[in-house]
Amino acid sequence: MSPFARPLRRMLRPGARVLVAVAVVSTVVAGCEGPKNLIRSFDKAGDDTDAADDSSDSGADSGSDSSDSGTDSADSGVDSGTETDAPCVPTGVDLPDPDGVDADCDGIDGEAARAVFVAPTGNDDSGDGSLGTPLKSLEAALAKVAQTPGKDHVYLSEGTFTGTLDLVDGVSVFGGYSSTGGWARVPGLVTEIRGTPDASGDVVALRAVDLTSRTVVADVTLTSPAPTQPGASSVGALVVRSPGLELVGVTVSAGRGERGADGVDGADGDPGDEGDPGVGGTCSTGCRSLSAPMGGAGGASPCGHTGLQGLQGGGATNQSGQCGSGTLVPRDGNPGDPGDDGDDGQGGADGAFDTDLRWHGGPGTDGTDGTDGTGGKGGLGGPSYCTTNCGALQSGSSGGGGGGGACAATLGTGGGAGGGSFAVVILDSPGAVVRDSTLAASDGGAGGRGGRGGRGGTGGAGGSGKTITCALGTSSSGRGGKGGDGGDGGEGGGGAGGPSFALWIEGSLPTLAGNTLTHGSGGAGGTSAGAGGSPGASGETRVIP
């Protein structure tokens, strides 16, 4: 009797307790790993029945089947529930899936022939991107795909890959593999892509630009740490003009935005110098003429607004019996005009993504410079005296010089905007897909403080007047006028706080399904002695049509 007929005959015998037994032997299926045997028992039958059957079989077949004893020995193994793997049967294209099914029977979930393999323990110099000798970096893997026809998948092992993943059109990236476990996809394995700052200071973990062919990123963790450059943003995934992109089962975490730069304080204005004092007149006698001295010099000004010189006093003449003298009335010089204060800047408001694909928050605007003060006027001179017949005479004292005009202070500059925190940003990508993913943003950065406007300089004091007393009387001159103060610089406005959004969309809506979204708080607006900045916005999603 055939060695395979005996177990079948026992199963069909009335009263047999074996429910099902299937034997598949040495079946070879094209595209699988090779021949495999499956003898699967779902219920263990009673051994006593088998023993009786074996005895009956032995008697019936003793003359015709010398191998029954060996077969019966195998029967006992069948009845005991022994199980081996079933042969792999290809079922079509094998895209990596959450269940880890090897649909094309090439030994892994996915299509090994289409893939470049990458592991943190790989080597970009000696590796060729195969299962046995994987590459180490994302850059090397994408370069390998570009150089190898038929390659359009990148399979990432567990671990952390540092640097921004700049996707290539039509090249899909799948994580969750175990390079030390035969490249099996094991639930719970974490493949992290950890972004690093770019030239602008922003940190982006994944960047997808102009992807029109289907490009899948699945089962990876995108981490964008907090930036350190003032005003820089953290973006987990930046998607621009990429209708072909699909993010599936990804975990995205964006760090906080960085605080905006503080504005620069303005410089204080330089003061004007004091005017020189007036000069006293001269006491004399005889037939002669006396001219009044020149007035005190005006005070200097660093910005060119020198005070005016003091005015001369009256002269005196005593000639041929005639007396001529001045009747000037001494008076202080008028002060110089003060400079105007500069205007304050405006606080920063909300921002936008610009053509450079960066978030640009609203910075505070600069104040304006003050204007200079003008120089003070010189003091007026005093009267002169004389007597007839070549008697006594006296020239008047001259006035003090005006003080120098002070210089204006310079403006305070506006504070910079705080950086944003965005898990996923999608710009003009109507066909993109985000599903079954976790998107988390942190807090936005605070706006920078507006710079303080400088204080205007102090105008120089006017030169003092002069008094002289002679026999004929006293002659006093006026003090020079004070120089004008310089105007204060305007205050810089505070910068806007950075936003916090799990999902930021501009343009038509992508396809969204099964996602979990969380966000932080918008950054505080920057402070200012003038106008402060607006706080950053926050929310799960912002859509700008």
Side-chain angles (χ1 to χ4, degrees):
M1 172 177 285
S2 166
F4 305 112
R6 182 173 304 168
L8 180 61
R9 190 181 71 178
R10 285 205 304 270
M11 287 190 292
L12 298 178
R13 183 176 300 157
R17 291 168 58 191
V18 176
L19 299 181
V20 180
V22 180
V24 180
V25 282
S26 302
T27 304
V28 179
V29 181
C32 299
E33 293 178 301
K36 295 184 179 180
N37 296 330
L38 171 66
I39 304 177
R40 185 186 303 267
S41 175
F42 295 93
D43 183 31
K44 185 177 181 180
D47 294 335
D48 292 341
T49 303
D50 288 343
D53 291 340
D54 293 344
S55 176
S56 173
D57 292 341
S58 177
D61 301 333
S62 59
S64 60
D65 189 356
S66 61
S67 62
D68 282 356
S69 60
T71 303
D72 289 344
S73 175
D75 288 349
S76 63
V78 173
D79 293 344
S80 65
T82 300
E83 178 181 334
T84 60
D85 291 339
C88 182
V89 179
T91 58
V93 175
D94 185 17
L95 290 178
D97 61 87
D99 296 327
V101 175
D102 181 13
D104 64 349
C105 302
D106 63 354
I108 66 166
D109 176 25
E111 300 186 26
R114 297 172 63 179
V116 170
F117 294 82
V118 194
T121 56
N123 192 303
D124 289 342
D125 295 325
S126 60
D128 61 4
S130 63
L131 286 91
T133 56
L135 299 173
K136 182 180 181 65
S137 68
L138 301 173
E139 295 83 359
L142 293 174
K144 182 72 174 179
V145 168
Q147 298 165 3
T148 311
K151 300 286 188 182
D152 60 356
H153 283 185
V154 175
Y155 295 163
L156 304 179
S157 178
E158 64 177 318
T160 297
F161 298 89
T162 301
T164 301
L165 172 58
D166 284 297
L167 291 172
V168 175
D169 192 28
V171 179
S172 296
V173 178
F174 300 88
Y177 286 90
S178 173
S179 60
T180 59
W183 289 92
R185 297 187 85 207
V186 181
L189 292 184
V190 176
T191 299
E192 180 188 37
I193 298 173
R194 191 173 184 85
T196 53
D198 59 21
S200 71
D202 288 350
V203 182
V204 181
L206 179 147
R207 187 183 290 111
V209 181
D210 296 325
L211 304 183
T212 56
S213 302
R214 188 184 186 208
T215 306
V216 180
V217 177
D219 300 314
V220 297
T221 294
L222 303 176
T223 303
S224 181
T228 58
Q229 184 165 314
S233 296
S234 175
V235 181
L238 177 62
V239 182
V240 184
R241 300 183 302 273
S242 293
L245 180 66
E246 298 182 20
L247 298 178
V248 182
V250 299
T251 298
V252 186
S253 176
R256 59 168 177 77
E258 181 60 16
R259 173 187 170 85
D262 289 338
V264 179
D265 294 340
D268 293 338
D270 292 325
D273 291 344
E274 182 178 1
D276 290 345
V279 180
T282 301
C283 302
S284 186
T285 59
C287 295
R288 57 178 301 185
S289 295
L290 289 177
S291 297
M294 299 298 293
S301 167
C303 42
H305 302 283
T306 303
L308 299 182
Q309 187 175 28
L311 300 179
Q312 286 180 290
T317 301
N318 210 345
Q319 298 284 350
S320 304
Q322 301 295 320
C323 175
S325 62
T327 57
L328 297 176
V329 177
R331 188 178 66 194
D332 292 341
N334 292 327
D337 295 327
D340 294 327
D341 293 339
D343 295 327
D344 292 341
Q346 300 298 309
D350 201 7
F353 281 92
D354 210 338
T355 54
D356 61 357
L357 309 184
R358 294 189 63 221
W359 171 258
H360 292 270
T365 61
D366 299 342
T368 61
D369 293 334
T371 60
D372 299 331
T374 61
K377 307 300 189 292
L380 274 68
S384 58
Y385 305 97
C386 65
T387 60
T388 59
N389 301 317
C390 294
L393 72 163
Q394 169 182 341
S395 61
S397 297
S398 298
C407 302
T410 59
L411 58 85
T413 64
S421 178
F422 307 91
V424 176
V425 175
I426 301 178
L427 309 178
D428 300 322
S429 302
V433 175
V434 182
R435 62 180 175 87
D436 304 327
S437 297
T438 300
L439 316 180
S442 302
D443 294 339
R449 174 186 63 82
R452 180 188 68 85
R455 306 297 92 169
T458 301
S464 61
K466 193 71 172 180
T467 299
I468 185 171
T469 301
C470 300
L472 297 179
T474 298
S475 178
S476 298
S477 60
R479 184 182 186 89
K482 176 183 178 297
D485 294 336
D488 294 339
E491 311 289 347
S500 171
F501 284 92
L503 190 56
W504 182 282
I505 301 170
E506 294 185 15
S508 301
L509 286 173
T511 299
L512 306 172
N515 300 306
T516 301
L517 311 180
T518 58
H519 64 89
S521 300
T527 60
S528 170
S534 300
S538 63
E540 289 186 353
T541 305
R542 171 170 283 189
V543 179
I544 301 175

